[in-house]
Amino acid sequence: MRTTTGAPAGRRWLLWVLLWLGTTPAWATHIVGGELDLQYLQGDTYQLSMNLYFDAINGNPGALDNSFTAGIFDKATNRLITSVTLDLVNNTFVSYTSPACAVGSLSTRQLVYRNRAPLLLPAATYGSAQGYYVAIERCCRNNAISNIVNPGAAAQAFYLEFPAVVRGGQPFRDSTPRIFPPLADYACVGELFYYDFAGQDADGDSLAYDMVTPLNGHTTSAQPTLLNLTNNVPLPGPYQPITWNAGLSASNQIPGAPTLTIGARTGRLTVRPTRVGLFVFGVRCQEYRRGVKIGETRRDFQLQVLVCPRNNAPSVTALPGTSGSVTYLPGRDTLRLVPGGSRCLRLRFTDPDASSQLTLSLRSVNYTGTLPTFSSTISGLVHSPGQPDTLVATLCFPDCVDTQGKVNFLEVIVADNGCALPKRDTVRIALLAIPNPNALPTLTTTAGTPLPLRVRLGQTLGFDLLATDPDGDPITYALSGTNGFAPAALGATLTAQAQAGTQRAARFNWPISCAAVTDPPGQVRELVFTATTVTPCGVRQAAPPITIPVIVDYSNAPPALTSTFPADSAGGPPLVRVALGQAYTASLTGTDGDKDVLVLSATGQDFNLADVGMRFTAPAGAPGQASGTFTWLPTCDGVSVTNGQARELVVTFQLQESTCRPQPRTRTVRFAVAQPVAKEFLPPNIITPNGDDKNQFFTLADLPPDFCDARFAGVKIFSRWGRQVYESGDRSFRWAGDGVGGTYYYLITYTTGRRYKGWVEVMP
């Protein structure tokens, strides 16, 4: 390998390049290539960018644009939707892969242009099923391009496609793929050139790459930024492609063996050029979502091919073990890493060229373990004064590598520092790795038999567990249940002790409360105990779990409630009538065969017992027994009368048992205040106030009796002409007729609004 700097050979190489450049005509045009980029931001807002690559050596600085106008078109109709102004926001150099290989004939700037105002793509406007495209046109390309016709007059159309922003009535968001880093390197004639153009997609869409003919478009050297002169807007497609020189095409853009190609899935460019020159090429990156193409972006670029001093490839040889001279033969040998054996591989690497700087690296093919480490130098010089002819490195694999019985492949790569790109040699190592053995833990319990275990309410289920790991790995316990059963939620605990050597004990306790009773009772629940360890290699190992079925025994017979109340009738609860001022007493008794604690209570329907003179007492009794006494001394408080009838007071008596699945018993009784019996109301209809002591007064001794709120309110007597002649609020009133004979009319009222009407004849 010969470098471009530092040694006499490097100075000769630089002089050769300068002489070659002196024979090459200069050109004044400037475009190297570029691409468009559309990124979703939020809502309906997007960012449109253009990367333009400018020839920093031969480009005319006056041709550097401060802004561009992009057109957005409907693919179905080529109709212009809108124009977008992109301003220059960044201007930087494109870096070489290896700066030491830089040549004076090649320097590229990356100019970034972005939309100055928010770019809105609303669904109402951008819903066309065929999608849309963005285009910017600019002339011209470099005069020295070797593979197209009349390159100095060839223009460029930067092109991008994107889908509708709505699909199936739902928002459809997409950012175009940001493709491959730009290229600053050159290629050497006759040498394999490679470059990674793989892109990234923010939406996770699938990307596919292919070679395409660059687009020329409408612009010319006379009109380098052509717009429609009628209304000053960008022109729509289709955009004409550039014209290839004879013998070249989209599939053969750079003469080579092989010609320029790109990996359809990898985006890796490769070419072994057979001709010196400056070559333009086009790459397309298409994006797919669920197997359907939704967009694409294109990049045009240039690759310069030079005659370079010969650079021989380095070589690397692998020797298993830490000693010996047996060479590993790729494709035939398999490196076996077994317990107690060597886990290292020696690597001998060299280069035929003097003053070569060599570097080792690793690349996984299907190796999934922790990458091995180099225990010695992985880079150095060969064939220089004081430096060795061959370098040696040692690669050692971790003890924990486990290929699970399958062959894994790992590549060891040695690369030099040659120009334009490093030459490499690769040895692919096939290996089978078996880690040090590690025994599984075991788990035992003192839960006993027979199974399922049976436990009653109020008891505590408890037993011990013991986990053993022969290797002394740290042990962890876990408790769970099956079919949604969560023991910890029901009060079960598993408490592990400190590990002692290879063993760790634990205690299980479960106080059985009502929460543990199944519905229906007697169902089997399963406790699952596990013990796990983590090996020194980080592998999780578990003992066979222990499953213990448990039944919580529970039964409950309903209690019995008896009382001295009348029996229910066909019409429902009995009705007990009690006269005002007369005390009523009844007793209730509860019994329970399960000896559960019983509680008696009484509740009025929409009223408070004490407010109407009722009282219920139920002192605590022995388990399984309860008694209570109900008393009522009726008063007018709380009693209302409707249509002459006192309302009924409904009381519910309940016997409640303290158990997990209680079955309460109730008794409902209706109560009413007994109303006084009224005599037949027969008011007199004639009086004779003549002094003979017979029928002297009009009085009503048989009026309906007063009853709580239903009380006598008053009497009024009217003449036949409607004139009131008498009024009294005394139910024992006496009216003598006032000495004037005739027919009179009376009106008697009660506080409830009830009224009695009649007439009486006065005969003096």
Side-chain angles (χ1 to χ4, degrees), residues 26-223:
W27 56 89
T29 47
H30 62 283
I31 296 178
V32 172
E35 78 273 346
L36 290 167
D37 175 70
L38 182 66
Q39 297 294 312
Y40 170 71
L41 299 179
Q42 61 181 4
D44 294 335
T45 307
Y46 289 74
Q47 178 180 279
L48 178 63
S49 305
M50 182 178 74
N51 297 316
L52 185 140
Y53 304 105
F54 188 91
D55 187 340
I57 299 297
N58 303 290
N60 181 356
L64 193 155
D65 301 286
N66 290 319
S67 65
F68 281 98
T69 300
I72 301 181
F73 302 89
D74 188 328
K75 281 186 64 180
T77 63
N78 285 323
R79 178 176 62 91
L80 176 67
I81 305 297
T82 190
S83 297
V84 183
T85 300
L86 307 184
D87 292 329
L88 179 64
V89 296
N90 198 21
N91 183 345
T92 58
F93 282 100
V94 178
S95 300
Y96 280 82
T97 299
S98 176
C101 293
V103 295
S105 63
L106 184 61
S107 180
T108 304
R109 283 186 173 273
Q110 180 182 20
L111 310 178
V112 180
Y113 297 82
R114 291 193 182 129
N115 51 293
R116 65 172 67 161
L119 175 58
L120 300 179
L121 304 181
T125 304
Y126 293 89
S128 175
Q130 293 189 36
Y132 301 85
Y133 64 89
V134 185
I136 294 177
E137 298 190 59
R138 185 65 164 92
C139 192
C140 295
R141 301 178 186 267
N142 284 332
N143 282 319
I145 294 175
S146 307
N147 56 341
I148 64 175
V149 175
N150 194 12
Q156 171 130 9
F158 304 95
Y159 183 84
L160 173 150
E161 294 180 3
F162 66 92
V165 299
V166 62
R167 181 170 294 185
Q170 298 297 318
F172 191 81
R173 308 303 189 193
D174 178 59
S175 295
T176 56
R178 286 184 164 170
I179 58 173
F180 34 81
L183 174 68
D185 298 330
Y186 55 89
C188 295
V189 66
E191 299 288 349
L192 183 66
F193 176 85
Y194 51 88
Y195 201 82
D196 186 5
F197 265 30
Q200 300 292 326
D201 189 84
D203 309 304
D205 297 323
S206 298
L207 304 181
Y209 306 90
D210 62 348
M211 306 300 300
V212 292
T213 297
L215 298 175
N216 188 85
H218 305 91
T219 57
T220 65
S221 57
Q223 191 74 42

Side-chain angles (χ1 to χ4, degrees), residues 4 29 69 77 146 211 276 295 321 485 494 500 521 543 565 653 703 733:
T4 60
T29 47
T69 300
T77 63
S146 307
M211 306 300 300
V276 171
F485 169 43
L494 181 63
F565 291 118
F653 300 91
L703 277 171
F733 71 91

Side-chain angles (χ1 to χ4, degrees), residues 477-606:
Y477 279 98
L479 168 64
S480 62
T482 60
N483 300 321
F485 169 43
L490 302 182
T493 59
L494 181 63
T495 305
Q497 300 176 9
Q499 185 165 337
T502 61
Q503 293 186 326
R504 190 177 191 187
R507 176 70 183 177
F508 172 76
N509 282 295
W510 185 14
I512 305 301
S513 65
C514 285
V517 177
T518 59
D519 192 10
Q523 292 181 319
V524 176
R525 280 177 165 160
E526 291 183 328
L527 300 165
V528 180
F529 299 91
T530 57
T532 59
T533 60
V534 177
T535 71
C537 292
V539 178
R540 188 178 181 84
Q541 299 189 135
I546 293 178
T547 300
I548 298 178
V550 176
I551 294 177
V552 176
D553 288 328
Y554 173 79
S555 63
N556 180 49
L561 176 61
T562 59
S563 71
T564 59
F565 291 118
D568 290 353
S569 63
L575 176 61
V576 177
R577 294 185 182 275
V578 182
L580 287 171
Q582 181 180 338
Y584 176 82
T585 301
S587 60
L588 297 96
T589 302
T591 57
D592 184 70
D594 299 315
K595 302 300 181 183
D596 295 325
V597 174
L598 301 178
V599 176
L600 276 167
S601 63
T603 306
Q605 181 177 303
D606 301 326

